[in-house]
Amino acid sequence: MSLLRLGPADAGEVLTLQRAAYVPEARAHENIDLRPLTETFEQTKAALGDPACSTWGIRESGRLVASVRIVVDGGAGLVGRLIVAPDRQGHGLGSSLLLAAEDAAPPSVTVFRLFTGERSAGPLRMYRKLGYVETHRTREKHYELVHFEKPRVRTGGPVR
């Protein structure tokens, strides 16, 4: 697996992948208004250009098949938009990408935080398997968001 840094020039591809990956989540949670589905091209481009946001991806034969964003907020790395192309889900790309992105996060990050919907069976399993611990839940329409946290574990040097 080759971890690639993504930027504003990748916004169109990231947004396309994001929408494809979140449609099943929208169905599972009966909510078409999920933020990843309503995010505009300009918002995606701005996020990928934000100095506080590191966006990483995986390409296979030139095609972007997975991506994740980590926003640094003090000592916390806020993980968001972990997405894998629907036809590549279940092959370990999400886990591999998340672990590599954690390792590549700035040294100031001491804890990682993320959330997912309570009906997201695959992501819930994956986060627990990778050492994330549920901290609390918040109400969102007619379901709950499950919030997780994981202390930083250093496994190697930063990815360049």
Side-chain angles (χ1 to χ4, degrees):
M1 184 201 79
S2 177
L3 184 68
L4 304 168
R5 185 75 184 257
L6 301 177
D10 301 297
E13 237 181 327
V14 169
L15 186 58
T16 299
L17 176 61
Q18 181 172 296
R19 288 182 175 161
Y22 272 94
V23 166
E25 295 301 309
R27 285 188 186 129
H29 292 88
E30 300 171 4
N31 183 4
I32 196 75
D33 295 324
L34 297 177
R35 280 179 254 150
L37 291 175
T38 61
E39 186 174 88
T40 66
F41 172 76
E42 288 304 322
Q43 290 169 325
T44 302
K45 189 174 179 181
L48 272 59
D50 182 347
C53 180
S54 297
T55 305
W56 303 96
I58 299 173
R59 290 187 184 277
E60 291 180 344
S61 301
R63 174 184 170 219
L64 185 66
V65 294
S67 177
V68 66
R69 299 178 198 173
I70 297 182
V71 174
V72 176
D73 182 18
L78 309 178
V79 179
R81 306 292 199 273
L82 177 58
I83 50 178
V84 177
D87 66 319
R88 297 297 295 133
Q89 292 176 5
H91 297 280
L93 291 174
S95 297
S96 296
L97 177 59
L98 181 52
L99 290 173
E102 288 173 3
D103 198 41
S108 62
V109 173
T110 60
V111 64
F112 293 97
R113 294 187 179 119
L114 56 80
F115 64 86
T116 192
E118 68 178 333
R119 299 177 193 158
S120 300
L124 288 167
R125 247 188 334 271
M126 178 183 68
Y127 297 142
R128 289 181 176 116
K129 180 180 171 189
L130 296 179
Y132 283 83
V133 175
E134 182 177 335
T135 58
H136 65 284
R137 292 182 179 221
T138 55
R139 196 87 187 132
E140 180 74 25
K141 297 205 178 202
H142 51 278
Y143 59 92
E144 291 183 331
L145 294 176
V146 183
H147 297 258
F148 289 92
E149 186 171 285
K150 174 184 174 180
R152 178 149 201 183
V153 178
R154 301 218 184 258
T155 59
V159 176
R160 304 256 182 245

